[in-house]
């Protein structure tokens, strides 16, 4: 297919995001293989939206996702546990406040 | 006199629905043969989805045919219990899959026609037919997008993929004019406002084929002989084998339910 495409070579991977209805965020649902963006959209449509799951699709090359690594999980996420003041439930709502 | 014309129209509608339904049934079955064999998982799913759409469209059209016929037959009877000569699909759709390029070219010729014709047919004065056409059009537009994009990628891909597409085009071109085949059945239904002349869309069909071929670096075959016959039950050697496989379960276990 493409310039690196020998027969049998796997196509590149694309992450798929589906928006269920207007105004909703696009939610990650999985990934597909495709040689380019247009075919990634088509493959995503066939794999993830055949049963009315959504009204809009995004595909992003998987290699463009910058991710944390498992070894980051301690320094990145653990400190949140003992800083309870970072959570809204730490604060009580004063009487008389409406619409919260 | 009036009753005669009405009876004639009724018969012609049934025949048209069977012709149009058989195109989709046979093409759908051909595509389903890819299931589990496509070059990549995603494409396997895509081809199976398109196959299911085609068979669904066939089911609606043949169901309408037997309803109008009123002889207590079902659409399954039409699909599984007719013989080769009773099938009225064009010969293009019964041609074997050969390889992926061949399948895509066959589909591209057909989808381009289907989209253009269904756009007309959704205005049919026969309400049920108009409804089926409108629903099928949405599906066919997606099928067209799929086959068109593959034409561009394979045609304008590697030298090898280009050759594959070109050779499929050269082989299948002779079956394309049958898409536009019309006889007295069409003429009468056109007069009744139930269907539309296929030659109205022929120019547009050729325009789209030319445009995609030029972008895909594929050459239009020189005008040669065209093959017809499917609409009158004359088929290539391939249909019989397809039917044998498609019908064996239904014929081996008559009236089985599952």
């Amino acid at each position: 297919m493409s310039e690196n495409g020998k027969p049998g070579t796997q196509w590149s991977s694309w992450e798929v995001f589906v928006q269920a209805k207007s105004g909703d965020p696009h939610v990650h649902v999985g990934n597909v293989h495709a040689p380019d963006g247009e075919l990634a959209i088509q493959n995503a449509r066939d794999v993830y939206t055949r049963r009315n799951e959504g009204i809009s699709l995004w595909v992003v090359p998987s290699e463009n996702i910058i991710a944390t690594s498992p070894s980051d999980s301690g320094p990145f996420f653990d400190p949140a546990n003992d800083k309870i003041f970072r959570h809204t439930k730490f604060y009580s709502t004063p009487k008389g406040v409406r619409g919260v | 006199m009036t009753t005669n014309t009405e009876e004639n129209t009724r018969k012609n509608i049934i025949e048209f629905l069977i012709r149009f339904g058989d195109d989709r049934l046979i093409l759908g079955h051909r595509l389903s043969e890819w299931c589990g064999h496509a070059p990549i998982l995603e494409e396997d799913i895509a081809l199976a989805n398109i196959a299911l759409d085609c068979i669904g469209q066939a089911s609606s059209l043949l169901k309408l045919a037997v309803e109008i016929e009123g002889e207590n037959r079902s659409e399954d009877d039409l699909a599984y219990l007719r013989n080769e000569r009773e099938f009225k699909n064009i010969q293009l759709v019964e041609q074997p899959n050969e390889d992926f390029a061949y399948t895509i070219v066959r589909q591209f010729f057909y989808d381009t026609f289907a989209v253009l014709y269904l756009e007309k047919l959704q205005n049919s004065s026969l309400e049920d037919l108009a409804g089926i056409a409108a629903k099928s059009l949405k599906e066919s537009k997606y099928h067209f997008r799929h086959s068109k994009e593959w034409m561009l990628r394979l045609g304008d891909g590697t030298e090898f993929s280009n050759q594959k597409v070109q050779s499929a085009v050269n082989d299948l071109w002779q079956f394309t004019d049958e898409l536009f085949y019309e006889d007295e059945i069409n003429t009468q239904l056109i007069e009744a406002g139930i269907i539309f002349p296929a030659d109205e869309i022929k120019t547009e069909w050729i325009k789209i084929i030319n445009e995609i071929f030029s972008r895909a670096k594929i050459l239009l075959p020189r005008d040669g002989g065209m093959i017809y016959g499917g609409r009158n039950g004359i088929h290539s050697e391939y249909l019989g084998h397809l039917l044998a496989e498609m019908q064996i379960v239904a014929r081996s276990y008559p009236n089985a339910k599952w």
Side-chain angles (χ1 to χ4, degrees), chain B residues 253-258:
Chain B
Y253 302 93
N255 303 318
K257 299 262 180 273
W258 62 84

Side-chain angles (χ1 to χ4, degrees), chain B residues 26-174:
Chain B
I26 300 303
L27 184 59
H29 186 82
R30 272 285 180 242
L31 287 171
S32 78
E33 293 171 0
W34 274 109
C35 193
H37 302 278
I40 193 164
L41 177 65
E42 284 80 353
E43 194 53 35
D44 203 288
I45 296 172
L47 290 172
N49 279 339
I50 295 171
L52 281 172
D53 285 346
C54 288
I55 292 166
Q57 292 177 16
S59 170
S60 309
L61 290 159
L62 296 178
K63 186 161 186 280
L64 184 55
V66 293
E67 276 170 15
I68 295 173
E69 183 188 60
E71 283 174 19
N72 219 13
R73 290 205 289 177
S74 73
E75 65 272 29
D76 282 352
D77 293 338
L78 288 187
Y80 296 121
L81 302 178
R82 278 180 302 154
N83 295 325
E84 186 184 347
R85 289 295 299 271
E86 296 167 284
F87 273 81
K88 303 297 173 60
N89 57 279
I90 55 171
Q91 293 197 16
L92 173 70
V93 297
E94 73 202 36
Q95 297 309 306
N97 290 332
E98 299 285 351
D99 56 28
F100 186 65
Y102 217 86
T103 301
I104 289 298
V105 169
R106 187 185 63 206
Q107 196 65 29
F108 173 63
F109 286 149
Y110 185 77
D111 292 339
T112 309
F113 173 84
V115 168
L116 294 171
Y117 197 74
L118 290 169
E119 265 167 7
K120 299 263 180 196
L121 202 60
Q122 59 181 343
N123 301 313
S124 169
S125 61
L126 185 65
E127 216 171 288
D128 289 337
L129 180 57
I132 295 172
K135 181 170 177 285
S136 306
L137 177 60
K138 288 184 196 159
E139 296 170 347
S140 291
K141 278 185 174 169
Y142 180 74
H143 304 167
F144 172 73
R145 180 169 169 168
H146 172 265
S147 57
K148 178 196 78 176
E149 293 296 335
W150 271 118
M151 285 297 292
L152 297 174
R153 278 161 187 77
L154 295 174
D156 192 16
T158 62
E159 197 181 325
F160 183 62
S161 69
N162 175 278
Q163 275 170 13
K164 285 270 188 187
V165 173
Q166 185 67 59
S167 110
V169 165
N170 295 347
D171 281 359
L172 292 171
W173 184 250
Q174 59 189 332

Side-chain angles (χ1 to χ4, degrees), chain A residues 67-84:
Chain A
T68 56
S69 67
S71 61
D72 287 335
S73 73
F76 264 63
F77 309 117
D78 282 355
N81 285 338
D82 53 10
K83 298 188 175 76
I84 51 170

Side-chain angles (χ1 to χ4, degrees), chain B residues 193-212:
Chain B
I194 291 167
I195 64 166
F196 300 88
D199 57 10
E200 277 181 10
I201 59 165
K202 197 172 175 178
T203 326
E204 187 63 20
W205 185 86
I206 290 174
K207 205 178 111 191
I208 295 171
I209 301 294
N210 270 321
E211 188 213 317
I212 301 301

Side-chain angles (χ1 to χ4, degrees), chain A residues 7-96:
Chain A
T9 306
Q10 189 70 279
W11 290 332
S12 59
S13 174
W14 301 71
E15 300 302 320
V16 181
F17 300 79
V18 175
Q19 185 186 34
K21 58 180 199 294
S22 183
D24 279 5
H26 285 70
V27 176
H28 185 242
V29 291
N31 50 40
V32 291
H33 290 104
D36 56 51
E38 163 66 23
L39 289 183
I41 283 275
Q42 289 191 23
N43 289 345
R45 179 263 190 192
D46 282 324
V47 176
Y48 293 108
T49 66
R50 276 275 296 178
R51 293 167 194 86
N52 265 332
E53 290 91 339
I55 56 158
S56 168
L57 272 174
W58 287 350
V59 292
V60 179
S62 300
E63 62 188 25
N64 287 2
I65 303 278
I66 317 290
T68 56
S69 67
S71 61
D72 287 335
S73 73
F76 264 63
F77 309 117
D78 282 355
N81 285 338
D82 53 10
K83 298 188 175 76
I84 51 170
F85 48 86
R86 289 185 179 174
H87 297 270
T88 48
K89 64 178 182 221
F90 177 76
Y91 302 93
S92 53
T93 310
K95 279 180 187 166

Side-chain angles (χ1 to χ4, degrees), chain B residues 8-37:
Chain B
N8 206 14
T9 307
R10 205 178 69 90
K11 278 194 176 143
N12 288 341
I13 290 173
I14 295 170
E15 182 66 17
F16 173 81
L17 290 169
I18 288 176
R19 288 175 171 184
F20 224 55
D22 283 350
D23 285 350
R24 284 153 179 77
L25 177 62
I26 300 303
L27 184 59
H29 186 82
R30 272 285 180 242
L31 287 171
S32 78
E33 293 171 0
W34 274 109
C35 193
H37 302 278

